[in-house]
């Protein structure tokens, strides 16, 4: 409900790649630009082929998954809102305007005029209502984002009202993602919806040349309302789970752009490729699931949690395991966002001695913990285990097959979990990490201070006004060491010369991040 | 009372393939073997002679009739009861190359039946020595493997194995047909000597009239699952009554060009007469 | 079930395709199996290599400088030769050398689990399925067919939710998938052994089923199982590596596959990383395969070597091409010697100084016991001695032409057209895959280059002549569809089809019933008269000789001891050996006369 | 013959039913995991239960099994739990890719193995040692190593062949040929290593048989003896080896599809299994069993053609 992070979609991709690569791929990045490409000529026959690590699982609006999958589905389906690629702020898209009532239980969306689906029928309030109602009622990954919605109604062809139980601070950012995708009302329940929907987005799927899960060929719609912002006429997305295969394809000229692992960069001929780096779009974090110490009392002790934060050599982690692309951190919020506080980074300098003292003080020396070993964690397990033993604790990685990763995380069988979390929006990230039932807090830990702070957030409809409270949440969480954030991770895009990729980290990746010189 | 009595013995094998009909290979054979006697069983391939032997040994289950050994019905016995007969009925097979387990020493091969019947290994060993002696093999054979022996010697080992439990009846299934001429005669002599010594009875199965004639007191002739003629060896093998036996007798060549020429002519006359 | 009463097989099995007795064979035969294995260089080297590798694996906790998952962030992708990191560090800063050592143990455990399960399941299934009755057989057969049908690796992957990706559980399941191979081997051996006479003998001796299975059956199955185990261990290791490469299971477990996978990801950073585990994996699996092959050679007796087909016979002596010729003789063999390599490599002469002469239209019986060299002599005349055989001297002249030293093409031109051959065992001498007629036609056309249609007519006529009742039907039949007697007639028809001058018949009636034998001899005699062929009849049966031969040569241990007209030799044998042989014949006078023995011992 | 094929196919269907039941039973424990994975991070016990119910996974396994079979009989293998793609067409598409690797690989393997095996067996000497050397090399280098090495060499360094990806035969035949070249080579090398040794062994056995000597004594040429008689008799065991090789290649294809980023059957199965995509796993099991059954059947029929004794009457 809170985050764009998907810890898994395609197991093979995950397994074949390192967790770094995977996380970067999943988090991806995106841009939304109303401006035309630099040269002004949206070349009618320009084509672009990129590689991603996972294809879209489905093009059904109720089943959309964010991350790199967005490249394909956002080509076919328009979203209500979008994010500004420079600042990450919410900007209009299919909805021109949005407005909350006073207590945040009614959201009024005003749709742009003249939008059409690829079959020519108008994209209007009825279409939006049908999509949102259906997503709300259909079990799937998007449904939870509608948990507080009670009703969606069309006031007139260009006005939609969304009614809530109570204010949902994450809703706006969600409808800039899959929750805001607009499907074709007449065919939504048809079988084709999953694979070849009648789309509202800038492209039509070229079904003849598309091999599901392998190659997606998208043809630009000239009748799309924002067609000028789309720089290519044919957009091909190839699914390549293996990063080495991606690099090989890039070098062999089979794709125009793709992500490249930091340590493979040396292999690229700098003169033939343009590199674009996104400094941070994921955070590597050791999540403490049993913050209350119900099953593992040691984890309920703030000294032990702090000790773990002291135990990890974050600088070495970035240099050694991330190839230098990234930066050490003790926070989980997007460094480009409003909540992140550089001053907090002073806490928890690498100091295993101090950590050990804290553990001794708390009386938990020699305590052992189990943690799920997943495809995300494998590359980092030795380092993290080492850190535990450095402060007098033991960590045992328990192998969990991919299809049980989600279950293991939520089961309550483990006190710890290693995650590579992509950024969503600051509110979503706050909720997912610290509110009971949030993804990173599956054991429903609650804390009076946090309860109070979220009480304020839940009643502050204007985001600007709520920002100071979010910062308090962040500061308190860091101080209490509710989690062990380790580092921000970035992504490097390599593209054939003349093609650029630019966006801030943490945004959904779309075609509009690409520029042509 | 004879030692072995077969009455109306029938055997059938399941045919090949799924739900195939059974093929009867013995159509009611009656035969008896007395104490200390050798009964020769002659026939060509497919006549069922080997099957009779195997039925007596319990290796084939009869589909009808009875087999009595020492007045006891044995055709239906199996399991422990059947194994109990092992000390009374023994066998010597045709092929000395496959009737001995190639991976066991001669000593083990001979001791096995003794140990099964409760002999201590020391007793077994001394019995093995005397058995080897009895069949004319050197004492050092005990630790050697079958492949170190010639065909004739192996057949001696097989005979020793059959003698080991002191049986009353030995079924001999073509025991000399795989041997060279000179060896064959010596092994047959050994059979006769042993019989004189121990009083054991033989049911002696062979395709070779000469061999049967040499060793048998009485001879039975089998033809396609039926017993066509029975009688004392000299009569059946020199002046047979049944046309098949006559044909068989005339078909076997004699090692004398002149006599063989006569025999051949006689055979042709007989065939012409029956044609 | 009796095999000898099966109407398609023959009761009599003689070993007249002579066994070549090699000197010193006895000593080597008694060498214990393990010693033989060790003496084989390929086996010794691979065993040594594997032992060394797995010993190092076992000692890993003592000798590995680091734990398999000890990570040092400063050692990430450290180059080869870094102090304490012999082969460098991997992507997580773990010591590649130490991980390599630990991986050996994973491989060993995988092989152990997979092979053990496969052996237990396969051997049990094979023993049960092969030994017991039909119902049990069909159930086990069906079960293993089921296992066999499962697409192996696919199943392991489908079962990941069940095995949890744990390599030991996976190997346990894999063991079941390997089991059908073992099952097949064991079942077939058991089915074979079950009908072996010595198992019957054991049954007659009063041994129970369990004892027979354990003592007689298992001992035979042992060798092939050991061989199969070597191959299975190899495939278990390979599969485990493959799955680990794909990322099935925990990466905490050091394994070659996981290391190769990590190296592959790092291909561009540190190209050597994937090389070390690949090499070690390659060495281990290759060693196991080679060991399997070596074991197969030693335990099952080495397979015949490949040799050039149509290379001709080897002659190591100078052949006198211009020696005196006997214008009346069709075939003259002078001073012929044939040798085989013995165990110690020295040639072992099986035929020595043989002299034979055969006039056109003459029938010569070459008589002797097994191993006397009579078949070798016949083969050398046909030019079809096995490739190991060497002609050490002498001369074979046919129709005035020296045959020794001719190449195979020239011999092939003679064979079939001028010299023909009838083998002993009719069934094994017909190609089972071709119709009887087509085999005969091919031979006839090779010898005479007659048009196919004429050749067919001639073959059918010949089949008819050879006493086959329905020649067309036999012409169209496959060898397994005709009886032994008929097959021998077919072979005779094939031999005389091209009207040869010389017919070499090697024990042509030994495998047949007496009544059939008489008919075949009649046929041979008639054909011989008709065609005026000379016949060289190889046999051990004096009755056959008396029936058909004009002259006799008696062979003993590679030499001809007596040679003369049939009547003379039967009437007045000169050589002691001939006398002994003739004396051994159980003739019509040898009727047993003594009465049944008095019963001794236990009275009934 | 028709009856025989029908009987064999019926047996195959039985086998498929049994295997499916086993798979159903084994998988039934993971319905919740799958639902949770489908829902992603928003999963709650309630939404998980709702999804399980919506999918009908809460019903007794046997009911689901029967229902699944009922639909399967009508040609409907359901849809992937994750991608909503119809399983049948997806499996068929993926199978087409894998088969377009395996079938050429198998044919090439068969031809090379027979040539090499027959040459080795009928010439001996240097040629024989050469063939055995090739077999050894093929055994030593794991397919994995070959795959990686060839990609780097031909795909990246030399750029002669595409390093990754698959081109459909219908789209661009030359492209298809180029895209399968390296994967096929990787499949062929170990295949030839194994099979040529088998063919060689069988050929040597055959060439030592009695009938070969008898054929020679009739003046029949060496060529006919080797290529017509011995080869045909060696053919039927070799065919069995080949059918096993075929099934084995499916396993090897899994790794190869991974390295070359090919959308094949193996990687499809692998992904489905990682995700716990139950409908796909079931579909794959059915196709897997069907494939193996057909391969065995074809082998037996070909065997009958080669070997009259094995012929069905």
């Amino acid at each position: 409900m809170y985050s764009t992070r998907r810890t898994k979609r395609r197991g093979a991709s995950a397994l074949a790649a390192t967790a770094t690569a995977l996380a970067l791929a999943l988090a991806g990045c995106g841009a939304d630009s109303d401006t035309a490409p630099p040269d002004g000529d949206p070349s009618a026959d320009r084509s672009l082929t990129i590689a991603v690590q996972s294809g879209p699982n489905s093009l059904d609006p109720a089943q959309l998954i964010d991350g790199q999958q967005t490249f394909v589905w956002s080509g076919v389906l328009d979203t209500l809102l979008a994010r500004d690629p420079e600042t990450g702020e919410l900007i209009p898209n299919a909805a021109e305007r949005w407005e909350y009532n006073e207590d945040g239980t009614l959201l009024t969306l005003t749709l742009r005029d003249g939008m059409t689906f690829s079959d020519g029928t108008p994209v209007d309030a009825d279409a939006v209502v049908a999509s949102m109602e259906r997503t709300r009622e259909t079990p799937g990954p998007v449904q939870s984002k509608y948990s507080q919605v009670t009703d969606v109604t069309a006031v007139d062809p260009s006005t939609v009202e969304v009614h809530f139980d109570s204010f949902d601070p994450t809703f706006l950012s969600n409808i800039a993602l899959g929750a805001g995708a607009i499907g074709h009302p007449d065919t939504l329940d048809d079988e084709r919806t999953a694979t070849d929907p009648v789309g509202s987005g800038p492209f039509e799927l070229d079904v003849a040349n598309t091999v599901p899960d392998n190659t997606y060929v998208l043809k630009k719609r000239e009748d799309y309302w924002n067609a000028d912002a789309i720089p290519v006429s044919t957009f091909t997305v190839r699914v390549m789970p293996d990063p080495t295969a991606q690099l090989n394809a890039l070098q062999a000229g089979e794709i125009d752009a793709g992500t490249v692992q930091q340590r493979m960069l040396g292999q690229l001929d700098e003169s033939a490729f343009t590199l674009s780096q996104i400094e941070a779009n994921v955070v590597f974090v050791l999540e403490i699931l049993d913050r209350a110490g119900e099953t593992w009392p040691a984890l309920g002790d703030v000294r032990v949690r702090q000790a773990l934060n002291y135990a990890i050599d974050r600088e070495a982690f970035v240099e050694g395991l991330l190839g230098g692309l990234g930066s050490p951190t003790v926070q989980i919020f997007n460094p480009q966002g409003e909540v992140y506080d550089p001053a907090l980074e002073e806490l928890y300098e690498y100091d295993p001695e101090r950590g050990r003292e804290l553990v001794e003080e708390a009386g938990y020396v020699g305590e052992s913990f189990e943690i799920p070993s997943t495809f995300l964690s494998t590359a980092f397990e030795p380092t993290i285990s080492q850190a535990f033993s450095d402060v007098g604790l033991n960590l045992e990685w328990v192998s969990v097959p991919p299809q049980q990763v989600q279950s293991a995380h939520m089961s309550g069988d483990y006190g710890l979990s290693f995650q590579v979390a992509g950024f969503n929006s600051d509110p979503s990230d706050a909720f997912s990490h610290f509110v009971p039932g949030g993804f990173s807090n599956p054991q429903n830990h609650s804390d009076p201070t946090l309860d109070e702070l979220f009480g304020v957030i839940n009643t502050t409809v204007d985001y600007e006004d709520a920002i100071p409270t979010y910062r308090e949440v962040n500061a308190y969480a860091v101080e209490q060491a509710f989690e062990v954030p380790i580092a921000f991770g970035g992504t490097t895009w390599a593209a054939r010369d003349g093609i650029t990729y630019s966006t801030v980290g943490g945004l959904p990746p779309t075609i509009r991040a690409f520029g042509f010189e | 009372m004879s030692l072995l009595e077969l009455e109306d013995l029938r055997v059938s094998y399941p045919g090949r393939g799924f739900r195939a009909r059974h093929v009867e290979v013995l159509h009611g054979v009656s035969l008896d073997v007395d104490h200390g006697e050798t009964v020769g069983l002659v026939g060509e391939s497919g006549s069922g002679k080997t099957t009779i032997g195997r039925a007596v040994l319990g290796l084939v289950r009869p589909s009808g009739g009875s087999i009595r050994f020492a007045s006891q019905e044995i055709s239906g016995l199996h399991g422990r009861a059947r194994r109990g007969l092992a000390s009374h009925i023994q066998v010597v097979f045709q092929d000395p190359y496959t009737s001995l387990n190639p991976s066991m020493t001669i000593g083990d091969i001979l001791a096995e039946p003794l140990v099964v019947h409760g002999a201590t290994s020391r007793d077994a060993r001394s019995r093995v020595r005397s058995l080897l002696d009895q069949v004319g093999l050197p004492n050092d054979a005990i630790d050697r493997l079958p492949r170190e022996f010639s065909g004739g010697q192996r057949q001696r080992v097989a005979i020793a194995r059959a003698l080991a439990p002191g049986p009353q009846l030995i079924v001999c299934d073509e025991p000399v047909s795989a041997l060279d001429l000179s060896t064959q005669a010596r092994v047959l002599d050994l059979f006769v000597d042993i019989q004189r010594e121990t009083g054991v009875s033989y049911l002696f199965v062979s395709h070779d009239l000469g061999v049967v004639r040499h060793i048998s007191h009485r001879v039975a002739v089998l033809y396609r699952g039926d017993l066509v003629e029975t009688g004392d060896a000299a009569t059946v093998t020199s002046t047979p009554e049944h046309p098949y036996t006559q044909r068989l007798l005339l078909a076997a060549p004699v090692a004398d060009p002149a006599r063989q020429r006569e025999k051949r002519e006689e055979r042709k006359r007989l065939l012409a007469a029956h044609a | 079930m009796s095999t000898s009463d099966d109407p398609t097989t023959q009761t009599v099995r003689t070993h007249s395709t002579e066994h070549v007795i090699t000197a010193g064979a006895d000593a080597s035969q008694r060498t214990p199996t393990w010693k033989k294995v060790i003496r084989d260089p390929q086996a010794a080297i691979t065993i040594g290599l594997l032992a060394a590798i797995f010993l190092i694996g076992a000692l890993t906790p003592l000798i590995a400088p680091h734990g398999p998952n000890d990570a040092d962030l400063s050692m990430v992708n450290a180059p080869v030769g870094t102090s304490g990191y012999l082969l460098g560090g991997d992507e997580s800063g773990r010591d590649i050398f130490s991980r390599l050592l630990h991986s050996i143990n994973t491989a060993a455990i995988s092989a152990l689990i997979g092979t053990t399960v496969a052996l237990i399941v396969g051997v049990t299934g094979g023993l049960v399925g092969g030994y017991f009755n039909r119902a049990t057989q069909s159930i086990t057969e069906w079960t293993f067919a089921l296992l066999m049908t499962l697409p192996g690796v696919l199943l392991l992957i489908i079962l990941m939710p069940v095995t949890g990706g744990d390599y030991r559980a996976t190997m346990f399941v894999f063991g079941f998938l390997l089991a059908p191979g073992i099952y097949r081997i064991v079942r077939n051996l058991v089915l074979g052994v079950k009908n072996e006479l010595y198992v019957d003998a054991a049954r007659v001796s009063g041994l129970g089923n369990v004892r027979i299975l354990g003592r007689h059956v298992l001992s035979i199955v042992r060798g092939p199982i050991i061989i199969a185990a070597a191959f299975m261990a190899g495939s278990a290791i390979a599969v485990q590596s493959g799955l680990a490469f794909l990322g099935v299971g925990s990466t905490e477990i050091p394994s070659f596959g996981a290391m190769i996978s990590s190296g592959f990801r790092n291909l561009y950073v540190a190209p050597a990383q994937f090389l070390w585990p690949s090499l070690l994996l390659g060495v281990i699996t290759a060693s196991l395969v080679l060991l399997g092959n070596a074991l197969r050679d030693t335990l099952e007796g080495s397979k015949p070597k490949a040799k050039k087909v149509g290379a001709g016979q080897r002659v190591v002596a100078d052949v006198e091409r211009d020696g005196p010729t006997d214008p009346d003789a069709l075939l003259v063999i002078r001073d012929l010697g044939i040798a085989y390599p013995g165990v110690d490599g020295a040639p072992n002469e099986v035929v020595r100084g043989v002299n034979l002469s055969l006039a056109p239209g003459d029938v010569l019986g070459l008589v002797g016991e097994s191993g006397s060299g009579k078949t070798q002599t016949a083969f050398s005349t046909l030019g079809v001695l096995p490739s190991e055989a060497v002609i050490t001297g002498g001369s074979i002249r046919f129709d005035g032409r020296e045959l020794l030293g001719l190449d195979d093409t020239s011999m092939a031109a003679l064979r079939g057209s001028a010299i023909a051959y009838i083998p002993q065992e009719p069934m094994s001498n017909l190609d089972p895959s071709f119709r009887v007629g087509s085999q005969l036609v091919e031979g006839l056309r090779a010898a005479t280059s007659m048009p196919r249609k004429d050749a067919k007519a001639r073959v059918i006529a010949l089949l008819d002549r050879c006493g086959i009742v329905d020649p067309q039907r036999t012409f169209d039949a496959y060898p397994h569809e005709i009886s032994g007697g008929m097959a021998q007639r077919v072979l005779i028809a094939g031999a005389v089809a091209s009207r040869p001058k010389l017919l070499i018949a090697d024990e042509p009636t030994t495998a047949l019933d007496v009544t059939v034998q008489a008919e075949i001899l009649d046929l041979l005699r008639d054909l011989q008269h008709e065609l005026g062929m000379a016949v060289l009849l190889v046999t051990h049966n004096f009755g056959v000789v008396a029936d058909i031969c004009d002259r006799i040569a008696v062979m003993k241990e590679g030499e001809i001891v007596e040679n003369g007209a049939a009547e003379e030799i039967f009437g007045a044998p000169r050589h002691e050996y001939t006398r002994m042989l003739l004396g051994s014949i159980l003739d019509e006078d040898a009727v047993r006369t003594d009465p049944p023995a008095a019963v001794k011992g236990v009275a009934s | 013959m028709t009856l025989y094929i029908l009987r064999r196919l019926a047996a195959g269907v039985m086998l498929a039913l049994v295997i499916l039941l086993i798979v159903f039973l084994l998988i039934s424990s993971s319905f919740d995991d799958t639902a949770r994975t489908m829902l992603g991070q928003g999963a709650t016990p309630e939404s998980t239960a709702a999804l399980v119910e919506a999918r009908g996974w809460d019903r007794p396994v046997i009911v689901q099994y029967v229902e699944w079979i009922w639909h399967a009989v009508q040609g409907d293998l359901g849809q992937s739990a994750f991608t909503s793609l119809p399983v049948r067409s997806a499996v068929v598409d993926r199978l087409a890719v894998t088969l377009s690797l395996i079938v050429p690989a198998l044919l090439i393997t068969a031809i090379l193995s027979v040539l090499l095996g027959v040459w080795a067996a009928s010439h001996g000497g240097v040629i024989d040692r050469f063939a055995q050397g090739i077999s050894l090399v093929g055994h030593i280098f794991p397919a994995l190593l070959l795959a990686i090495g060839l990609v780097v060499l031909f795909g990246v360094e030399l750029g002669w062949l595409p390093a990754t990806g698959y081109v459909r035969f219908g789209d661009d035949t030359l492209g298809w040929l180029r895209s399968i070249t390296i994967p096929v080579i990787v499949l062929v090398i170990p295949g030839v290593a194994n099979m040529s040794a088998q063919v060689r062994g069988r050929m040597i056995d055959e060439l030592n048989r009695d009938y070969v000597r008898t054929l020679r004594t009739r003046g029949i040429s060496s060529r006919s003896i080797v290529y017509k008689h011995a080869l045909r008799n060696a053919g039927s065991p070799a065919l069995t080896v080949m059918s096993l090789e075929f099934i084995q290649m499916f396993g090897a294809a899994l790794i190869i599809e991974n390295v070359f980023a090919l959308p094949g059957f193996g990687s499809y199965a692998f992904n489905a299994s990682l995700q716990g995509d139950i409908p796909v796993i079931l579909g794959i099991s059915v196709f897997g069993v069907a494939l193996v059954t057909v391969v065995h059947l074809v082998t037996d029929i070909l065997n009958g053609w080669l070997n009259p004794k094995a012929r069905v009457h």
Side-chain angles (χ1 to χ4, degrees), chain B residues 35-36 44-45 48 50 54 83 94 99 112 147-148 180 182 195-197 215 217 260 264 267, chain C residues 5 11 29-30 198 200 204 206 215-216 369-370 513 515 522 525 547 588 592 594 597 599-600 604:
Chain B
H35 296 281
E44 292 186 298
S45 55
T50 295
R54 295 179 69 83
R83 292 205 290 276
Q94 167 186 357
S99 70
E112 186 169 54
R147 59 169 174 254
E148 296 172 49
D180 272 332
S182 49
Q195 187 168 55
R196 286 192 187 128
E197 243 172 71
I215 194 162
H217 298 104
Q260 172 59 16
R264 195 162 67 221
R267 189 178 117 255
Chain C
D5 271 82
T11 317
Q29 277 166 344
R30 247 197 293 171
Y198 65 82
D200 281 342
V204 171
R215 194 148 173 153
H216 292 273
E369 294 193 301
S370 53
D513 275 331
T515 48
D522 287 346
R525 183 182 307 101
D547 188 66
E588 289 174 351
R592 182 158 180 189
D594 61 325
V599 183
K600 293 180 184 174
S604 53

Side-chain angles (χ1 to χ4, degrees), chain A residues 248 263-264 267 378-379 382 403, chain C residues 71 91-92 161 251 265 268-269:
Chain A
N248 291 342
R263 57 183 178 199
M264 292 184 180
Q267 294 298 308
T378 49
Q403 67 276 19
Chain C
E91 54 179 352
S92 302
T251 45
R265 288 194 300 267
Y268 290 109
V269 184

Side-chain angles (χ1 to χ4, degrees), chain C residues 415-428:
Chain C
R415 284 193 299 252
S417 58
I419 309 179
Y421 166 72
I422 304 174
Q424 168 184 358
E425 191 74 58
M427 297 312 285
S428 69

Side-chain angles (χ1 to χ4, degrees), chain D:
Chain D
M1 190 66 182
T2 323
L3 191 74
Y4 170 76
I5 293 177
L6 285 177
R7 230 171 55 201
R8 287 289 303 264
L9 288 177
V13 170
M14 279 300 297
L15 205 63
L17 289 179
V18 172
I19 287 174
L20 268 175
L21 184 61
I22 296 171
V23 172
F24 249 102
L25 291 173
L26 289 174
I27 257 174
S28 61
S29 62
S30 61
F31 286 136
D32 283 358
D33 291 332
T34 301
R36 229 170 270 132
T37 310
M38 285 169 70
L39 288 172
Q41 299 192 353
T44 59
E46 298 76 42
S47 63
T48 307
L51 185 58
V52 165
E53 199 187 325
R55 292 270 166 170
W57 291 340
D58 52 342
R59 294 170 303 158
V61 175
I62 201 76
V63 173
Q64 296 185 48
Y65 171 70
V66 171
E67 188 191 74
W68 191 92
I69 303 274
W70 176 243
H71 286 301
V73 168
Q74 296 164 325
D76 174 16
L77 296 182
Q79 293 166 349
S80 156
F82 288 86
T83 68
S84 311
L85 291 172
V87 171
R88 191 175 56 138
S89 63
V91 172
V92 169
D93 287 352
R94 303 303 202 112
L95 208 52
V97 174
T98 303
L99 287 178
S100 82
L101 290 185
I102 289 181
V103 170
L106 197 71
L107 288 178
I108 296 171
T109 303
I111 292 168
L112 289 181
S113 302
V114 166
L115 284 179
L116 207 61
V118 169
W119 278 348
S122 63
H123 284 85
V126 180
I127 294 178
D128 187 32
R129 275 196 291 279
F130 170 72
Q132 286 183 288
I134 286 187
S135 171
L136 180 62
V137 168
H139 276 304
I140 289 177
F141 290 107
L144 203 57
L145 206 63
L146 281 172
I148 297 171
L150 292 176
V151 166
V152 171
L153 182 63
F154 292 108
V156 179
E157 295 299 328
L158 299 172
W160 293 352
L161 292 165
T164 61
Y166 180 72
V167 178
R168 274 183 293 191
F169 181 81
D171 294 350
D172 172 5
T173 309
L174 190 68
W176 169 77
L177 208 58
R178 285 163 51 84
S179 72
I180 66 162
T181 302
I182 306 181
V184 165
I185 292 174
V186 173
L187 285 173
V188 162
I189 291 176
V192 169
N194 178 23
M195 236 181 100
S196 67
Q198 301 261 10
V199 171
R200 172 185 173 273
R202 299 294 180 181
M203 279 300 288
I204 293 176
D205 286 351
E206 285 305 322
L207 289 172
N208 278 298
R209 291 207 196 286
D210 286 351
Y211 72 82
V212 167
R213 187 196 305 119
T214 302
L215 288 172
R216 287 181 66 200
T217 64
R218 297 217 188 104
I220 291 172
S221 68
S222 298
R223 175 190 292 265
S224 167
I225 285 174
V226 172
Y227 290 97
K228 186 171 165 189
H229 295 276
L231 182 56
R232 178 154 178 183
N233 283 293
S236 100
L239 206 62
T240 309
V241 175
M242 206 160 109
S243 73
L244 295 177
E245 189 69 37
F246 184 84
I247 293 164
Q248 216 170 0
M249 277 187 181
F250 266 87
L254 187 71
I255 289 174
I256 284 162
E257 286 163 13
N258 194 287
V259 173
F260 295 92
L262 302 174
F265 188 70
S267 59
Y268 188 53
F270 188 59
N271 290 343
S273 184
L274 287 182
Q275 290 177 316
D277 194 337
I278 291 164
V280 175
I281 291 176
L282 292 171
I284 281 170
S285 311
V286 165
F287 271 85
V289 173
L291 203 78
V292 176
T293 306
V294 169
V295 168
H296 283 318
L297 180 62
V298 169
T299 311
D300 287 353
I301 291 171
L302 286 177
N303 237 331
W305 173 71
L306 279 175
N307 174 5
K309 267 196 210 176
R311 213 162 285 177
V312 200
H313 300 287

Side-chain angles (χ1 to χ4, degrees), chain C residues 430-443:
Chain C
L430 286 166
D431 182 340
S433 297
F434 287 86
R435 291 178 198 276
V436 164
S438 76
Q439 297 184 41
L440 298 189
V441 167
E442 190 187 0

Side-chain angles (χ1 to χ4, degrees), chain C residues 534-557:
Chain C
V535 176
L536 177 63
L537 181 78
V538 173
T539 186
H540 70 286
N541 187 329
F542 278 98
V544 170
V545 173
D547 188 66
I548 198 167
C549 295
D550 309 319
R551 293 176 56 243
I552 302 181
V554 180
M555 272 192 96
K556 182 199 178 197
E557 291 167 10

Side-chain angles (χ1 to χ4, degrees), chain B residues 232-274:
Chain B
D232 70 77
T235 316
V236 174
T237 60
S238 54
T239 53
E241 282 171 15
H242 194 273
Y244 173 72
T245 322
Q246 292 169 358
R247 218 161 50 181
L248 201 61
L249 185 64
L250 291 173
V254 285
D256 179 332
R259 270 171 59 205
Q260 172 59 16
R261 205 171 303 125
E262 288 163 24
K263 203 171 170 181
R264 195 162 67 221
E265 296 312 316
E266 198 181 330
R267 189 178 117 255
K268 282 185 174 160
R269 275 199 304 280
L270 184 78
L271 284 177
H274 282 270

